[in-house]
Amino acid sequence: MSEPEIFDLALGAEVRAARIEAALDADPRLGQQWRAEVGIAEAVCSVGLEDVRISAPGLLQRIVRNRIGELDTSAAENALAILRFIRSPFSGQGGGAGCMERVMRFCPSPGSGEAPWPGPEELAGVFEHCRGRAPILEALRASGTFGLMTERRSPVAERLVFMAAEHLSRSKSAQAVGPRRDDPLRGLGGRYDASWIIPPALSLIADGFRIWSPVGHARALIEGIDRQLGREIGRIGTVRRWVSEADRVSQARHGRSRIHDAVRAFTIEPLMSIPQLAERIAVTERGALNLMLAMREQGLVVELTRRRSSRYWATPALASMLVDADPGAVDTGGRRRSAPASRVGDRPDERGGIKPGGPVDLKRAHPPRALKAEAEESMSRAMESFDRALDEADAILSRIHMKTKPQDR
């Protein structure tokens, strides 16, 4: 029996993504809470794959404490930069070109004697095919094209292009593209002005480990995306229950109780310490601790760390995702394992294993590779495959349109 075509594989993933998209569109509060949690896990996982090998909770503690040593500074800054981008891929001015200016900050500069990278306007052409027909395929195509144009120097930048392209495809299909509002990052929280559904870094480690390569490993990526979407469908139910329980707890408390404010703070920033909560809602640290304990009794938060000097609390869904978001917890056989608490500098090699090393800078982590001859041939094959799949999507949509058109007259 022959293997299914990319379109057939993507169709199942698109159906799962559409279920999630419909649930989030129907309940904006659910959408905000889900993306707030997935966004943090995606940023941490992306940095863990490309930058330093450190446990997800360990990296988050360094970010929220804002007391990071020199060894981890680049990791924390990169995680925050990724998080800012995925919260609003097209924020600011410039449309696609402005988006590409932000993406290119994650790409290394060309070496001496090498041709400069294409400018933002030219790179923005990768979004040309994002028309809402098949968002996953359109995002893979955009990411693959960007990777070829930048010689595969930065997988993390390619993943950001994937999320921006998927956001654009879903926004256009919903006719929701509009001016983007600026909302400076406040801790790890803030408003999400985004329509993406798929976290690509998390999809790489869904039930195993995959190399990020939309051109050479599109089939494996789509399989990983499908598995991750299956997990997120389950998490949507968990987040919905959290929102409902948060409403119930808030409404049940009267008088001078500040638990309503504490719960609301966790809908904006789903990971906080006691001092942070105290600052957010203007109470004493003792009062914040009592509120945390009250919310823990109601199942609204869990304690992420149990250190007396630094206790961090997260929503249950985010806490569970941080386990999945840690690439070090997956071995090459696809089994979960315990990651070293502070092993820094390992990164995936080309065979899918873990290559030990020292601290890695995102912008220099991937030196030039001998890919040009192979890339041109494989890119041509991949683009033909993507275009065939998108043409098939067009044909299906056209048939649906023709069937429904007489009823509209």
Side-chain angles (χ1 to χ4, degrees), residues 32-33 36 186 188-190 242 246 250 258-273 276-282 291-292 295 301 315:
Q32 168 65 28
Q33 187 70 29
R186 185 186 185 189
L188 293 174
W242 187 93
S250 296
R258 300 296 303 278
I259 197 166
H260 171 77
D261 296 327
V263 170
R264 187 174 183 277
F266 269 89
T267 66
I268 300 171
E269 192 163 352
L271 173 75
M272 281 190 286
S273 64
Q276 284 177 310
L277 178 61
E279 179 185 356
R280 295 290 186 270
I281 65 175
L291 289 169
M292 287 284 201
M295 287 190 291
V301 297
T315 57

PDB file of all heavy atoms in Angstrom, residues 32-33 36 186 188-190 242 246 250 258-273 276-282 291-292 295 301 315:
ATOM      1  N   GLN A  32      -7.644  33.470  24.497  1.00  0.00           N
ATOM      2  CA  GLN A  32      -6.572  34.226  25.137  1.00  0.00           C
ATOM      3  C   GLN A  32      -5.819  33.360  26.139  1.00  0.00           C
ATOM      4  O   GLN A  32      -4.587  33.343  26.157  1.00  0.00           O
ATOM      5  CB  GLN A  32      -7.158  35.458  25.838  1.00  0.00           C
ATOM      6  CG  GLN A  32      -6.198  36.164  26.788  1.00  0.00           C
ATOM      7  CD  GLN A  32      -5.001  36.773  26.095  1.00  0.00           C
ATOM      8  OE1 GLN A  32      -5.078  37.139  24.916  1.00  0.00           O
ATOM      9  NE2 GLN A  32      -3.887  36.876  26.804  1.00  0.00           N
ATOM     10  N   GLN A  33      -6.559  32.603  26.958  1.00  0.00           N
ATOM     11  CA  GLN A  33      -5.906  31.775  27.982  1.00  0.00           C
ATOM     12  C   GLN A  33      -5.094  30.664  27.336  1.00  0.00           C
ATOM     13  O   GLN A  33      -3.958  30.395  27.742  1.00  0.00           O
ATOM     14  CB  GLN A  33      -6.965  31.184  28.914  1.00  0.00           C
ATOM     15  CG  GLN A  33      -6.398  30.440  30.110  1.00  0.00           C
ATOM     16  CD  GLN A  33      -5.738  31.377  31.114  1.00  0.00           C
ATOM     17  OE1 GLN A  33      -6.123  32.534  31.223  1.00  0.00           O
ATOM     18  NE2 GLN A  33      -4.741  30.882  31.817  1.00  0.00           N
ATOM     19  N   ALA A  36      -1.981  32.105  25.695  1.00  0.00           N
ATOM     20  CA  ALA A  36      -1.031  32.573  26.709  1.00  0.00           C
ATOM     21  C   ALA A  36      -0.195  31.416  27.240  1.00  0.00           C
ATOM     22  O   ALA A  36       1.010  31.558  27.474  1.00  0.00           O
ATOM     23  CB  ALA A  36      -1.777  33.268  27.848  1.00  0.00           C
ATOM     24  N   ARG A 186       4.665  42.349  29.315  1.00  0.00           N
ATOM     25  CA  ARG A 186       4.665  42.542  30.758  1.00  0.00           C
ATOM     26  C   ARG A 186       4.904  41.188  31.385  1.00  0.00           C
ATOM     27  O   ARG A 186       4.021  40.349  31.468  1.00  0.00           O
ATOM     28  CB  ARG A 186       3.317  43.110  31.213  1.00  0.00           C
ATOM     29  CG  ARG A 186       3.277  43.441  32.694  1.00  0.00           C
ATOM     30  CD  ARG A 186       1.876  43.862  33.087  1.00  0.00           C
ATOM     31  NE  ARG A 186       1.843  44.300  34.475  1.00  0.00           N
ATOM     32  CZ  ARG A 186       0.725  44.564  35.133  1.00  0.00           C
ATOM     33  NH1 ARG A 186      -0.437  44.419  34.547  1.00  0.00           N
ATOM     34  NH2 ARG A 186       0.767  44.966  36.378  1.00  0.00           N
ATOM     35  N   LEU A 188       5.630  37.544  31.471  1.00  0.00           N
ATOM     36  CA  LEU A 188       5.386  36.535  30.444  1.00  0.00           C
ATOM     37  C   LEU A 188       3.954  36.603  29.931  1.00  0.00           C
ATOM     38  O   LEU A 188       3.512  35.716  29.217  1.00  0.00           O
ATOM     39  CB  LEU A 188       5.650  35.137  31.015  1.00  0.00           C
ATOM     40  CG  LEU A 188       7.108  34.841  31.358  1.00  0.00           C
ATOM     41  CD1 LEU A 188       7.213  33.509  32.052  1.00  0.00           C
ATOM     42  CD2 LEU A 188       7.959  34.861  30.112  1.00  0.00           C
ATOM     43  N   GLY A 189       3.227  37.654  30.302  1.00  0.00           N
ATOM     44  CA  GLY A 189       1.824  37.736  29.915  1.00  0.00           C
ATOM     45  C   GLY A 189       1.571  38.838  28.920  1.00  0.00           C
ATOM     46  O   GLY A 189       2.469  39.494  28.414  1.00  0.00           O
ATOM     47  N   GLY A 190       0.296  39.053  28.635  1.00  0.00           N
ATOM     48  CA  GLY A 190      -0.101  40.099  27.707  1.00  0.00           C
ATOM     49  C   GLY A 190      -1.112  39.601  26.709  1.00  0.00           C
ATOM     50  O   GLY A 190      -1.375  38.408  26.587  1.00  0.00           O
ATOM     51  N   TRP A 242     -10.820  25.277  33.395  1.00  0.00           N
ATOM     52  CA  TRP A 242     -10.116  26.233  34.270  1.00  0.00           C
ATOM     53  C   TRP A 242     -10.833  27.582  34.259  1.00  0.00           C
ATOM     54  O   TRP A 242     -11.029  28.191  35.306  1.00  0.00           O
ATOM     55  CB  TRP A 242      -8.666  26.398  33.805  1.00  0.00           C
ATOM     56  CG  TRP A 242      -7.827  27.224  34.735  1.00  0.00           C
ATOM     57  CD1 TRP A 242      -7.055  26.764  35.753  1.00  0.00           C
ATOM     58  CD2 TRP A 242      -7.695  28.646  34.747  1.00  0.00           C
ATOM     59  NE1 TRP A 242      -6.445  27.814  36.406  1.00  0.00           N
ATOM     60  CE2 TRP A 242      -6.820  28.980  35.804  1.00  0.00           C
ATOM     61  CE3 TRP A 242      -8.222  29.674  33.964  1.00  0.00           C
ATOM     62  CZ2 TRP A 242      -6.457  30.294  36.103  1.00  0.00           C
ATOM     63  CZ3 TRP A 242      -7.874  30.993  34.264  1.00  0.00           C
ATOM     64  CH2 TRP A 242      -7.006  31.294  35.313  1.00  0.00           C
ATOM     65  N   ALA A 246     -12.510  29.217  37.429  1.00  0.00           N
ATOM     66  CA  ALA A 246     -12.041  30.534  37.868  1.00  0.00           C
ATOM     67  C   ALA A 246     -13.222  31.482  38.052  1.00  0.00           C
ATOM     68  O   ALA A 246     -13.278  32.249  39.022  1.00  0.00           O
ATOM     69  CB  ALA A 246     -11.055  31.097  36.845  1.00  0.00           C
ATOM     70  N   SER A 250     -14.315  33.070  41.666  1.00  0.00           N
ATOM     71  CA  SER A 250     -14.365  34.528  41.781  1.00  0.00           C
ATOM     72  C   SER A 250     -15.734  34.997  42.249  1.00  0.00           C
ATOM     73  O   SER A 250     -15.843  35.901  43.085  1.00  0.00           O
ATOM     74  CB  SER A 250     -14.026  35.162  40.430  1.00  0.00           C
ATOM     75  OG  SER A 250     -12.697  34.856  40.046  1.00  0.00           O
ATOM     76  N   ARG A 258      -9.625  39.297  47.666  1.00  0.00           N
ATOM     77  CA  ARG A 258      -8.965  39.724  46.421  1.00  0.00           C
ATOM     78  C   ARG A 258      -8.740  38.551  45.477  1.00  0.00           C
ATOM     79  O   ARG A 258      -7.972  38.669  44.537  1.00  0.00           O
ATOM     80  CB  ARG A 258      -7.620  40.373  46.771  1.00  0.00           C
ATOM     81  CG  ARG A 258      -7.713  41.611  47.665  1.00  0.00           C
ATOM     82  CD  ARG A 258      -8.445  42.747  46.962  1.00  0.00           C
ATOM     83  NE  ARG A 258      -7.810  43.105  45.715  1.00  0.00           N
ATOM     84  CZ  ARG A 258      -6.733  43.925  45.632  1.00  0.00           C
ATOM     85  NH1 ARG A 258      -6.224  44.454  46.741  1.00  0.00           N
ATOM     86  NH2 ARG A 258      -6.213  44.224  44.466  1.00  0.00           N
ATOM     87  N   ILE A 259      -9.403  37.434  45.740  1.00  0.00           N
ATOM     88  CA  ILE A 259      -9.142  36.272  44.892  1.00  0.00           C
ATOM     89  C   ILE A 259      -9.596  36.520  43.455  1.00  0.00           C
ATOM     90  O   ILE A 259      -9.015  35.988  42.510  1.00  0.00           O
ATOM     91  CB  ILE A 259      -9.811  35.005  45.471  1.00  0.00           C
ATOM     92  CG1 ILE A 259      -9.185  33.760  44.833  1.00  0.00           C
ATOM     93  CG2 ILE A 259     -11.330  35.017  45.262  1.00  0.00           C
ATOM     94  CD1 ILE A 259      -9.517  32.469  45.546  1.00  0.00           C
ATOM     95  N   HIS A 260     -10.626  37.356  43.274  1.00  0.00           N
ATOM     96  CA  HIS A 260     -11.056  37.689  41.912  1.00  0.00           C
ATOM     97  C   HIS A 260      -9.913  38.353  41.153  1.00  0.00           C
ATOM     98  O   HIS A 260      -9.641  38.009  39.991  1.00  0.00           O
ATOM     99  CB  HIS A 260     -12.270  38.613  41.950  1.00  0.00           C
ATOM    100  CG  HIS A 260     -12.632  39.167  40.600  1.00  0.00           C
ATOM    101  ND1 HIS A 260     -13.294  38.425  39.644  1.00  0.00           N
ATOM    102  CD2 HIS A 260     -12.396  40.386  40.033  1.00  0.00           C
ATOM    103  CE1 HIS A 260     -13.460  39.159  38.557  1.00  0.00           C
ATOM    104  NE2 HIS A 260     -12.923  40.351  38.776  1.00  0.00           N
ATOM    105  N   ASP A 261      -9.226  39.297  41.809  1.00  0.00           N
ATOM    106  CA  ASP A 261      -8.108  39.973  41.157  1.00  0.00           C
ATOM    107  C   ASP A 261      -6.955  39.008  40.902  1.00  0.00           C
ATOM    108  O   ASP A 261      -6.271  39.090  39.874  1.00  0.00           O
ATOM    109  CB  ASP A 261      -7.627  41.137  42.028  1.00  0.00           C
ATOM    110  CG  ASP A 261      -8.689  42.213  42.192  1.00  0.00           C
ATOM    111  OD1 ASP A 261      -9.460  42.420  41.238  1.00  0.00           O
ATOM    112  OD2 ASP A 261      -8.753  42.822  43.274  1.00  0.00           O
ATOM    113  N   ALA A 262      -6.721  38.092  41.832  1.00  0.00           N
ATOM    114  CA  ALA A 262      -5.636  37.125  41.666  1.00  0.00           C
ATOM    115  C   ALA A 262      -5.913  36.191  40.491  1.00  0.00           C
ATOM    116  O   ALA A 262      -5.026  35.905  39.675  1.00  0.00           O
ATOM    117  CB  ALA A 262      -5.453  36.324  42.950  1.00  0.00           C
ATOM    118  N   VAL A 263      -7.151  35.726  40.396  1.00  0.00           N
ATOM    119  CA  VAL A 263      -7.516  34.849  39.276  1.00  0.00           C
ATOM    120  C   VAL A 263      -7.380  35.592  37.951  1.00  0.00           C
ATOM    121  O   VAL A 263      -6.848  35.055  36.974  1.00  0.00           O
ATOM    122  CB  VAL A 263      -8.956  34.314  39.463  1.00  0.00           C
ATOM    123  CG1 VAL A 263      -9.434  33.620  38.196  1.00  0.00           C
ATOM    124  CG2 VAL A 263      -9.009  33.356  40.648  1.00  0.00           C
ATOM    125  N   ARG A 264      -7.837  36.823  37.931  1.00  0.00           N
ATOM    126  CA  ARG A 264      -7.735  37.618  36.701  1.00  0.00           C
ATOM    127  C   ARG A 264      -6.276  37.821  36.308  1.00  0.00           C
ATOM    128  O   ARG A 264      -5.932  37.814  35.117  1.00  0.00           O
ATOM    129  CB  ARG A 264      -8.433  38.965  36.879  1.00  0.00           C
ATOM    130  CG  ARG A 264      -8.524  39.786  35.601  1.00  0.00           C
ATOM    131  CD  ARG A 264      -9.345  41.052  35.797  1.00  0.00           C
ATOM    132  NE  ARG A 264      -9.472  41.787  34.556  1.00  0.00           N
ATOM    133  CZ  ARG A 264      -8.539  42.623  34.091  1.00  0.00           C
ATOM    134  NH1 ARG A 264      -7.420  42.809  34.779  1.00  0.00           N
ATOM    135  NH2 ARG A 264      -8.716  43.251  32.939  1.00  0.00           N
ATOM    136  N   ALA A 265      -5.398  37.993  37.293  1.00  0.00           N
ATOM    137  CA  ALA A 265      -3.975  38.169  36.994  1.00  0.00           C
ATOM    138  C   ALA A 265      -3.417  36.937  36.290  1.00  0.00           C
ATOM    139  O   ALA A 265      -2.596  37.048  35.369  1.00  0.00           O
ATOM    140  CB  ALA A 265      -3.195  38.449  38.276  1.00  0.00           C
ATOM    141  N   PHE A 266      -3.884  35.741  36.684  1.00  0.00           N
ATOM    142  CA  PHE A 266      -3.384  34.519  36.051  1.00  0.00           C
ATOM    143  C   PHE A 266      -3.955  34.316  34.652  1.00  0.00           C
ATOM    144  O   PHE A 266      -3.411  33.536  33.876  1.00  0.00           O
ATOM    145  CB  PHE A 266      -3.673  33.304  36.936  1.00  0.00           C
ATOM    146  CG  PHE A 266      -2.556  32.987  37.884  1.00  0.00           C
ATOM    147  CD1 PHE A 266      -2.512  33.572  39.139  1.00  0.00           C
ATOM    148  CD2 PHE A 266      -1.521  32.151  37.516  1.00  0.00           C
ATOM    149  CE1 PHE A 266      -1.480  33.313  40.016  1.00  0.00           C
ATOM    150  CE2 PHE A 266      -0.475  31.879  38.379  1.00  0.00           C
ATOM    151  CZ  PHE A 266      -0.458  32.461  39.641  1.00  0.00           C
ATOM    152  N   THR A 267      -5.044  34.990  34.304  1.00  0.00           N
ATOM    153  CA  THR A 267      -5.520  34.925  32.916  1.00  0.00           C
ATOM    154  C   THR A 267      -4.654  35.775  32.005  1.00  0.00           C
ATOM    155  O   THR A 267      -4.645  35.566  30.792  1.00  0.00           O
ATOM    156  CB  THR A 267      -6.986  35.404  32.808  1.00  0.00           C
ATOM    157  OG1 THR A 267      -7.044  36.805  33.120  1.00  0.00           O
ATOM    158  CG2 THR A 267      -7.883  34.636  33.736  1.00  0.00           C
ATOM    159  N   ILE A 268      -3.915  36.726  32.566  1.00  0.00           N
ATOM    160  CA  ILE A 268      -3.019  37.571  31.782  1.00  0.00           C
ATOM    161  C   ILE A 268      -1.608  37.010  31.789  1.00  0.00           C
ATOM    162  O   ILE A 268      -0.913  37.005  30.780  1.00  0.00           O
ATOM    163  CB  ILE A 268      -3.017  39.014  32.338  1.00  0.00           C
ATOM    164  CG1 ILE A 268      -4.421  39.597  32.276  1.00  0.00           C
ATOM    165  CG2 ILE A 268      -2.036  39.892  31.580  1.00  0.00           C
ATOM    166  CD1 ILE A 268      -4.565  40.924  32.996  1.00  0.00           C
ATOM    167  N   GLU A 269      -1.198  36.509  32.934  1.00  0.00           N
ATOM    168  CA  GLU A 269       0.163  35.995  33.095  1.00  0.00           C
ATOM    169  C   GLU A 269       0.096  34.670  33.835  1.00  0.00           C
ATOM    170  O   GLU A 269       0.025  34.636  35.070  1.00  0.00           O
ATOM    171  CB  GLU A 269       1.014  36.997  33.873  1.00  0.00           C
ATOM    172  CG  GLU A 269       2.484  36.675  33.842  1.00  0.00           C
ATOM    173  CD  GLU A 269       3.329  37.869  34.246  1.00  0.00           C
ATOM    174  OE1 GLU A 269       2.790  38.971  34.401  1.00  0.00           O
ATOM    175  OE2 GLU A 269       4.536  37.690  34.406  1.00  0.00           O
ATOM    176  N   PRO A 270       0.089  33.533  33.112  1.00  0.00           N
ATOM    177  CA  PRO A 270      -0.184  32.236  33.741  1.00  0.00           C
ATOM    178  C   PRO A 270       0.970  31.629  34.514  1.00  0.00           C
ATOM    179  O   PRO A 270       0.896  30.476  34.915  1.00  0.00           O
ATOM    180  CB  PRO A 270      -0.566  31.360  32.544  1.00  0.00           C
ATOM    181  CG  PRO A 270       0.112  31.979  31.385  1.00  0.00           C
ATOM    182  CD  PRO A 270       0.160  33.445  31.646  1.00  0.00           C
ATOM    183  N   LEU A 271       2.053  32.378  34.708  1.00  0.00           N
ATOM    184  CA  LEU A 271       3.173  31.915  35.516  1.00  0.00           C
ATOM    185  C   LEU A 271       3.669  33.090  36.349  1.00  0.00           C
ATOM    186  O   LEU A 271       4.080  34.105  35.796  1.00  0.00           O
ATOM    187  CB  LEU A 271       4.303  31.389  34.640  1.00  0.00           C
ATOM    188  CG  LEU A 271       5.598  31.029  35.375  1.00  0.00           C
ATOM    189  CD1 LEU A 271       5.437  29.720  36.119  1.00  0.00           C
ATOM    190  CD2 LEU A 271       6.770  30.970  34.413  1.00  0.00           C
ATOM    191  N   MET A 272       3.619  32.971  37.682  1.00  0.00           N
ATOM    192  CA  MET A 272       4.030  34.079  38.539  1.00  0.00           C
ATOM    193  C   MET A 272       4.640  33.575  39.830  1.00  0.00           C
ATOM    194  O   MET A 272       4.381  32.453  40.264  1.00  0.00           O
ATOM    195  CB  MET A 272       2.831  34.990  38.866  1.00  0.00           C
ATOM    196  CG  MET A 272       2.433  35.954  37.766  1.00  0.00           C
ATOM    197  SD  MET A 272       1.213  37.165  38.318  1.00  0.00           S
ATOM    198  CE  MET A 272      -0.244  36.147  38.395  1.00  0.00           C
ATOM    199  N   SER A 273       5.408  34.460  40.456  1.00  0.00           N
ATOM    200  CA  SER A 273       5.918  34.229  41.800  1.00  0.00           C
ATOM    201  C   SER A 273       5.041  35.000  42.779  1.00  0.00           C
ATOM    202  O   SER A 273       4.200  35.813  42.375  1.00  0.00           O
ATOM    203  CB  SER A 273       7.367  34.702  41.907  1.00  0.00           C
ATOM    204  OG  SER A 273       7.432  36.111  41.718  1.00  0.00           O
ATOM    205  N   GLN A 276       5.543  38.759  42.420  1.00  0.00           N
ATOM    206  CA  GLN A 276       4.913  39.274  41.198  1.00  0.00           C
ATOM    207  C   GLN A 276       3.412  39.435  41.377  1.00  0.00           C
ATOM    208  O   GLN A 276       2.838  40.448  40.982  1.00  0.00           O
ATOM    209  CB  GLN A 276       5.206  38.342  40.025  1.00  0.00           C
ATOM    210  CG  GLN A 276       6.617  38.482  39.482  1.00  0.00           C
ATOM    211  CD  GLN A 276       6.880  37.489  38.374  1.00  0.00           C
ATOM    212  OE1 GLN A 276       6.623  36.295  38.525  1.00  0.00           O
ATOM    213  NE2 GLN A 276       7.387  37.968  37.265  1.00  0.00           N
ATOM    214  N   LEU A 277       2.766  38.433  41.967  1.00  0.00           N
ATOM    215  CA  LEU A 277       1.328  38.547  42.192  1.00  0.00           C
ATOM    216  C   LEU A 277       1.033  39.702  43.134  1.00  0.00           C
ATOM    217  O   LEU A 277       0.076  40.462  42.909  1.00  0.00           O
ATOM    218  CB  LEU A 277       0.774  37.241  42.768  1.00  0.00           C
ATOM    219  CG  LEU A 277      -0.722  37.251  43.095  1.00  0.00           C
ATOM    220  CD1 LEU A 277      -1.549  37.505  41.838  1.00  0.00           C
ATOM    221  CD2 LEU A 277      -1.153  35.935  43.758  1.00  0.00           C
ATOM    222  N   ALA A 278       1.851  39.852  44.180  1.00  0.00           N
ATOM    223  CA  ALA A 278       1.654  40.954  45.117  1.00  0.00           C
ATOM    224  C   ALA A 278       1.737  42.296  44.402  1.00  0.00           C
ATOM    225  O   ALA A 278       0.928  43.208  44.647  1.00  0.00           O
ATOM    226  CB  ALA A 278       2.697  40.886  46.233  1.00  0.00           C
ATOM    227  N   GLU A 279       2.690  42.419  43.493  1.00  0.00           N
ATOM    228  CA  GLU A 279       2.835  43.673  42.747  1.00  0.00           C
ATOM    229  C   GLU A 279       1.675  43.885  41.779  1.00  0.00           C
ATOM    230  O   GLU A 279       1.169  45.008  41.640  1.00  0.00           O
ATOM    231  CB  GLU A 279       4.154  43.663  41.978  1.00  0.00           C
ATOM    232  CG  GLU A 279       4.400  44.913  41.146  1.00  0.00           C
ATOM    233  CD  GLU A 279       5.649  44.805  40.305  1.00  0.00           C
ATOM    234  OE1 GLU A 279       6.369  43.794  40.422  1.00  0.00           O
ATOM    235  OE2 GLU A 279       5.885  45.733  39.498  1.00  0.00           O
ATOM    236  N   ARG A 280       1.242  42.810  41.105  1.00  0.00           N
ATOM    237  CA  ARG A 280       0.180  42.936  40.099  1.00  0.00           C
ATOM    238  C   ARG A 280      -1.132  43.438  40.709  1.00  0.00           C
ATOM    239  O   ARG A 280      -1.834  44.238  40.106  1.00  0.00           O
ATOM    240  CB  ARG A 280      -0.080  41.597  39.415  1.00  0.00           C
ATOM    241  CG  ARG A 280       1.051  41.040  38.589  1.00  0.00           C
ATOM    242  CD  ARG A 280       1.292  41.836  37.323  1.00  0.00           C
ATOM    243  NE  ARG A 280       2.293  41.176  36.501  1.00  0.00           N
ATOM    244  CZ  ARG A 280       3.605  41.411  36.588  1.00  0.00           C
ATOM    245  NH1 ARG A 280       4.050  42.293  37.468  1.00  0.00           N
ATOM    246  NH2 ARG A 280       4.456  40.775  35.810  1.00  0.00           N
ATOM    247  N   ILE A 281      -1.471  42.935  41.896  1.00  0.00           N
ATOM    248  CA  ILE A 281      -2.793  43.269  42.455  1.00  0.00           C
ATOM    249  C   ILE A 281      -2.695  44.147  43.705  1.00  0.00           C
ATOM    250  O   ILE A 281      -3.688  44.361  44.389  1.00  0.00           O
ATOM    251  CB  ILE A 281      -3.602  41.993  42.749  1.00  0.00           C
ATOM    252  CG1 ILE A 281      -2.937  41.155  43.839  1.00  0.00           C
ATOM    253  CG2 ILE A 281      -3.787  41.168  41.481  1.00  0.00           C
ATOM    254  CD1 ILE A 281      -3.766  39.945  44.254  1.00  0.00           C
ATOM    255  N   ALA A 282      -1.482  44.638  43.982  1.00  0.00           N
ATOM    256  CA  ALA A 282      -1.275  45.599  45.075  1.00  0.00           C
ATOM    257  C   ALA A 282      -1.699  45.047  46.437  1.00  0.00           C
ATOM    258  O   ALA A 282      -2.559  45.612  47.128  1.00  0.00           O
ATOM    259  CB  ALA A 282      -2.000  46.910  44.774  1.00  0.00           C
ATOM    260  N   LEU A 291      -3.497  33.998  48.951  1.00  0.00           N
ATOM    261  CA  LEU A 291      -4.329  33.867  47.757  1.00  0.00           C
ATOM    262  C   LEU A 291      -3.868  32.688  46.898  1.00  0.00           C
ATOM    263  O   LEU A 291      -4.689  31.940  46.343  1.00  0.00           O
ATOM    264  CB  LEU A 291      -4.296  35.162  46.947  1.00  0.00           C
ATOM    265  CG  LEU A 291      -5.040  36.351  47.569  1.00  0.00           C
ATOM    266  CD1 LEU A 291      -4.722  37.635  46.812  1.00  0.00           C
ATOM    267  CD2 LEU A 291      -6.544  36.102  47.563  1.00  0.00           C
ATOM    268  N   MET A 292      -2.554  32.516  46.776  1.00  0.00           N
ATOM    269  CA  MET A 292      -2.028  31.379  46.018  1.00  0.00           C
ATOM    270  C   MET A 292      -2.484  30.069  46.635  1.00  0.00           C
ATOM    271  O   MET A 292      -2.913  29.150  45.931  1.00  0.00           O
ATOM    272  CB  MET A 292      -0.499  31.430  45.990  1.00  0.00           C
ATOM    273  CG  MET A 292       0.088  32.495  45.092  1.00  0.00           C
ATOM    274  SD  MET A 292       0.008  32.082  43.333  1.00  0.00           S
ATOM    275  CE  MET A 292       1.309  33.169  42.732  1.00  0.00           C
ATOM    276  N   MET A 295      -6.105  29.484  45.896  1.00  0.00           N
ATOM    277  CA  MET A 295      -6.308  29.050  44.511  1.00  0.00           C
ATOM    278  C   MET A 295      -5.815  27.630  44.307  1.00  0.00           C
ATOM    279  O   MET A 295      -6.403  26.868  43.528  1.00  0.00           O
ATOM    280  CB  MET A 295      -5.602  30.015  43.554  1.00  0.00           C
ATOM    281  CG  MET A 295      -6.296  31.364  43.419  1.00  0.00           C
ATOM    282  SD  MET A 295      -5.611  32.389  42.080  1.00  0.00           S
ATOM    283  CE  MET A 295      -4.000  32.777  42.755  1.00  0.00           C
ATOM    284  N   VAL A 301      -4.177  26.737  40.492  1.00  0.00           N
ATOM    285  CA  VAL A 301      -2.741  26.881  40.264  1.00  0.00           C
ATOM    286  C   VAL A 301      -2.025  25.684  40.876  1.00  0.00           C
ATOM    287  O   VAL A 301      -2.566  24.995  41.753  1.00  0.00           O
ATOM    288  CB  VAL A 301      -2.177  28.191  40.876  1.00  0.00           C
ATOM    289  CG1 VAL A 301      -2.794  29.415  40.223  1.00  0.00           C
ATOM    290  CG2 VAL A 301      -2.359  28.222  42.386  1.00  0.00           C
ATOM    291  N   THR A 315      -0.677  27.951  36.029  1.00  0.00           N
ATOM    292  CA  THR A 315      -1.945  27.283  35.786  1.00  0.00           C
ATOM    293  C   THR A 315      -1.663  25.807  35.489  1.00  0.00           C
ATOM    294  O   THR A 315      -0.594  25.466  34.977  1.00  0.00           O
ATOM    295  CB  THR A 315      -2.681  27.920  34.601  1.00  0.00           C
ATOM    296  OG1 THR A 315      -1.832  27.874  33.446  1.00  0.00           O
ATOM    297  CG2 THR A 315      -3.047  29.367  34.896  1.00  0.00           C
TER     298      THR A 315
END
